Amino acid sequence: MAGTPGPRPPVEAYFRIIDEPVIRLASVDLEASAEVRELEEVFDFGRDYLGLLKAAIIAAGLVPPGIERSGAKLADLLGVMCGSGRGFELVSNVNRIPKGSRLAVSTNLLGALIGACMRATGQSGR
């Protein structure tokens, strides 16, 4: 049928390098986004609705948990990982599954986000 969208996966996760030394986070379904410019913001899970994306970044080792409160600069960390003056964007989307569905959406989304981060940084072959 023309104009009818095809099937979509229940959760989606996308990672890409950007030409700005920040971590850009976005949740399409929650209509939430942020640009993380300071390392401490990555560890502030209550700041916004993007805690799951932040947890994925830490779990995948992009921002090591031991770096919290170290005084390190996010731009320096991103420079080593992405190249000087660059950062990355992590985007999530949940398709047509209502909040509170009890279908382990958060668990599956976290796995997809960690997988996207690990594939993008060469930690996973797939």
Side-chain angles (χ1 to χ4, degrees), residues 69-119:
R69 295 188 185 100
S70 69
K73 300 291 182 201
L74 180 61
D76 295 339
L77 179 68
L78 292 171
V80 170
M81 182 174 28
C82 305
S84 181
R86 292 185 164 179
F88 66 86
E89 178 178 60
L90 184 61
V91 179
S92 70
N93 190 28
V94 176
N95 293 309
R96 298 184 297 262
I97 301 175
K99 280 183 102 171
S101 67
R102 302 185 56 88
L103 295 174
V105 174
S106 294
T107 304
N108 286 298
L109 182 56
L110 181 59
L113 289 163
I114 292 169
C117 289
M118 292 182 74
R119 280 189 305 277

Side-chain angles (χ1 to χ4, degrees), residues 28-106:
V28 175
D29 58 295
L30 295 179
E31 298 180 352
S33 64
E35 283 195 352
V36 176
R37 297 182 179 278
E38 301 293 329
L39 199 52
E40 294 306 315
E41 293 175 53
V42 176
F43 297 95
D44 188 354
F45 299 105
R47 173 180 287 237
D48 45 42
Y49 292 111
L50 302 166
L52 200 64
L53 283 80
K54 293 174 182 178
I57 291 167
I58 295 166
L62 278 62
V63 174
I67 204 168
E68 184 178 12
R69 295 188 185 100
S70 69
K73 300 291 182 201
L74 180 61
D76 295 339
L77 179 68
L78 292 171
V80 170
M81 182 174 28
C82 305
S84 181
R86 292 185 164 179
F88 66 86
E89 178 178 60
L90 184 61
V91 179
S92 70
N93 190 28
V94 176
N95 293 309
R96 298 184 297 262
I97 301 175
K99 280 183 102 171
S101 67
R102 302 185 56 88
L103 295 174
V105 174
S106 294

Side-chain angles (χ1 to χ4, degrees), residues 2-18:
T4 303
R8 298 189 62 190
V11 295
E12 298 173 279
Y14 301 97
F15 182 103
R16 71 178 179 140
I17 300 296
I18 57 174

